Amino acid sequence: MSTLPCPVADPFAAADQAYATITEFLRSEEARQVKHSELERQLEGMGRELLRKLLQAHLDMRQRGKAAEVVRDAAGTTLTPTPVHARSLESIFGEVEVARTGYGAAGTPSLHPLDGALNLPPEKYSLEVRRRVAIEAAKSSFDEGVKTLEVYTGAHVPKRQFEELVIRAAQDFEAFYVERQAGARADPHAGSILALTVDGKGVVMRPEDLREPTQRAAAARAKTFTARLGSGRRPHAKRMAAVAAIYTVAPYVRTPEEILPESPTQRETGSARPRPEHKRVWASLVQSPEAVIREMFNEAARRDPKGQKRWVALVDGNLPQIAHLQQMAEERNIPLIIVVDLIHVAQYVWKAAGAFFPNQESEPDRWTRKRLLEILRGKATLVAAGMRRSATLREMAAAERKPVDDCADYLLNYSPYLPYDKALAEGVPIATGVIEGACRHPRRGPDESDRCALELNRAEAVLRLRALRASNDFDAYWEFHEQQEYERHHASHYADHRVPETVPSIASPSRPSPRGRLTIVRKEEKS
């Protein structure tokens, strides 16, 4: 609690002086001797301080924030003015101070209507700082995010506070999608194919946050001699994140030869490849894979309530995931096509080619392309039998032919999920590029080391923020999140769920009105 400083005649005087200092410097002989890069850096620092002074001037103009009406709390108690309280706010331009009148009564906490008018968060850091933190956490590690924020803004957020802000930034993730699904309608103009993709990625976790079987394996390994001497990556240090994505897309009919042209320089001819529409990504360390897949099916049913679209599930061969997909499709009586990603199949075929043609360059390429073309024509079982027969005729040793047998086993075991000939004829996708792009984000955050292992709640928050960005929903989510913050910390504390209006203690200084209208455009930072 503090007393309010005497108001100045013009709160913008300090900002005017800062602007004059900048223009005076730009006119000086000193500035003429500076290279443009150094000039940009100096202007950035001076400009940021100017913006901080402008923000402070506006807050000073609104200081006290006295209510223009009777103030009642949520219980209906009439509150009376208390001494002015001042609080600091860490903005993207630097730290500023907000002075505002409190209202209270015996046995009740004080309320500050100006906090509600400004939608100030309860902690020191502004919502815009929190938004920048969320963006950086969704792009890179916490350490990198802290550095980027310090370099490109005037905010100073230590790592521990950075991590806490990430958790708060993601807290409305589930509520956001519940509201969106409740008010959304199926898009009649979306593509006729509904693609569902699932995957799993490991995230390095603290030992106490690993799932129980992994904890036991990690504890057993910790007692071994090799664990005490080893360094670098540690097995049994990851918790699997369930990742899923859904999108609609128009059919894109192709031939096997268009998928695998003779020359890598040859491009597909014909109509342009349709782009995925209405993509949404899920990623969770807390929920089970079955729960994530069920949410994905619920979203798919909302998008196709009359069952008019062609449903296809793209997987990487994970058998439990395939079992969940089949079970849920049967429960809902959905004719679901399950397709194993061609890229995963190609990896097995390529390893088999390496066994047949070791230390060769061109022959493995020709052999692999020929077999993949046959697989795309729906002849995976014949390819498996042929490569086994070839290994036997060459009298390859067991160790030499192991990649061949592994590939043949894979093709035979997954043959029901390799209907590439039908998929291509119907224009159905056969690769999981969308989900692979989404999975790139959950796995790249923490480094592969114990010191960077994440706690479960922080890791879950990061996955949610990255899923929002992968779904192109971040901006819409943040608008929803700020409204939820207003409801939580301000509106809910007042009678009728309404924050009283406030009146400034300093009148706006008379200034010439600028021509036109100022339009504020917000775009996600690319720093």
Side-chain angles (χ1 to χ4, degrees), residues 204-454:
V204 178
M205 305 294 298
R206 293 186 176 182
E208 62 269 22
D209 289 323
L210 296 171
R211 300 189 191 277
E212 288 187 10
T214 312
Q215 282 186 2
R216 291 195 294 269
R221 186 187 182 281
K223 300 176 183 178
T224 64
F225 181 71
T226 54
R228 293 195 295 273
L229 294 182
S231 61
R233 297 187 177 185
R234 299 284 195 271
H236 316 305
K238 293 182 178 181
R239 181 175 176 131
M240 292 302 295
V243 186
I246 185 173
Y247 61 93
T248 52
V249 67
Y252 187 48
V253 177
R254 289 173 292 171
T255 65
E257 288 74 18
E258 288 175 322
I259 299 290
L260 296 172
E262 291 187 8
S263 171
T265 58
Q266 293 179 355
R267 297 184 178 180
E268 296 178 2
T269 59
S271 59
R273 178 192 298 270
R275 298 184 62 83
E277 306 165 307
H278 307 298
K279 179 179 69 174
R280 184 193 163 186
V281 177
W282 290 261
S284 179
L285 285 158
V286 176
Q287 290 182 298
S288 66
E290 183 178 5
V292 172
I293 293 173
R294 190 171 296 280
E295 283 190 20
M296 180 180 63
F297 265 77
N298 292 338
E299 173 73 6
R302 182 192 64 76
R303 296 187 182 198
D304 185 29
K306 297 181 180 180
Q308 297 174 330
K309 296 185 185 297
R310 192 73 172 99
W311 290 39
V312 56
L314 297 161
V315 298
D316 65 355
N318 183 294
L319 291 176
Q321 289 176 348
I322 292 175
H324 292 322
L325 290 167
Q326 289 176 325
Q327 177 186 350
M328 293 181 195
E330 291 174 2
E331 290 175 359
R332 299 168 188 244
N333 196 27
I334 295 169
L336 179 69
I337 300 177
I338 299 179
V339 179
V340 171
D341 177 23
L342 177 65
I343 304 302
H344 287 80
V345 176
Q347 291 172 351
Y348 278 89
V349 178
W350 178 253
K351 290 179 181 178
F356 282 124
F357 308 100
N359 303 319
Q360 296 188 36
E361 293 184 4
S362 58
E363 193 59 33
D365 282 343
R366 288 193 290 269
W367 189 91
T368 299
R369 178 178 180 272
K370 183 177 179 180
R371 270 68 189 173
L372 286 177
L373 283 173
E374 291 301 301
I375 292 172
L376 287 172
R377 292 173 183 137
K379 301 177 181 179
T381 56
L382 294 178
V383 171
M387 65 175 62
R388 271 211 174 111
R389 186 164 51 252
S390 180
T392 301
L393 292 175
R394 296 181 186 215
E395 299 182 349
M396 297 174 67
E400 293 177 327
R401 64 177 291 165
K402 185 177 185 304
V404 178
D405 290 329
D406 288 344
C407 180
D409 289 341
Y410 186 89
L411 293 176
L412 292 172
N413 292 335
Y414 288 97
S415 58
Y417 313 115
L418 307 179
Y420 298 124
D421 53 334
K422 296 179 181 178
L424 292 178
E426 295 182 18
V428 169
I430 60 172
T432 60
V434 168
I435 193 75
E436 291 298 332
C439 290
R440 182 175 65 250
H441 300 289
R443 73 183 177 198
R444 86 177 169 191
D447 297 331
E448 298 278 348
S449 62
D450 292 338
R451 64 183 176 82
C452 291
L454 291 177

Side-chain angles (χ1 to χ4, degrees), residues 85-122:
H85 295 76
R87 58 161 292 180
S88 62
L89 181 70
E90 188 79 10
S91 76
I92 58 172
F93 311 123
E95 187 173 317
V96 293
E97 187 174 88
V98 186
R100 67 267 201 269
T101 300
Y103 288 80
T108 64
S110 295
L111 299 178
H112 302 86
L114 184 57
D115 286 5
L118 293 168
N119 195 17
L120 296 182

Side-chain angles (χ1 to χ4, degrees), residues 16-37:
D16 289 341
Q17 181 58 48
Y19 177 76
T21 300
I22 294 175
T23 56
E24 182 179 352
F25 164 71
L26 293 174
R27 293 191 181 102
S28 68
E29 184 63 29
E30 177 188 358
R32 295 176 186 173
Q33 307 302 317
V34 176
K35 299 293 189 294
H36 86 279
S37 58

Side-chain angles (χ1 to χ4, degrees), residues 467-519:
L468 286 165
R469 292 190 76 235
S471 303
N472 296 320
D473 283 339
F474 184 86
D475 289 340
Y477 168 78
W478 198 258
E479 183 177 348
F480 175 84
H481 172 65
E482 288 200 1
Q483 181 60 34
Q484 294 298 107
E485 286 287 281
Y486 178 79
E487 297 292 331
R488 263 192 298 268
H489 302 302
H490 304 295
S492 62
H493 298 303
Y494 292 91
D496 300 324
H497 216 74
R498 188 179 67 84
V499 177
E501 294 185 4
T502 61
V503 293
S505 60
I506 303 176
S508 300
S510 177
R511 291 173 178 270
S513 298
R515 295 181 178 178
R517 181 183 180 87
L518 177 63
T519 302

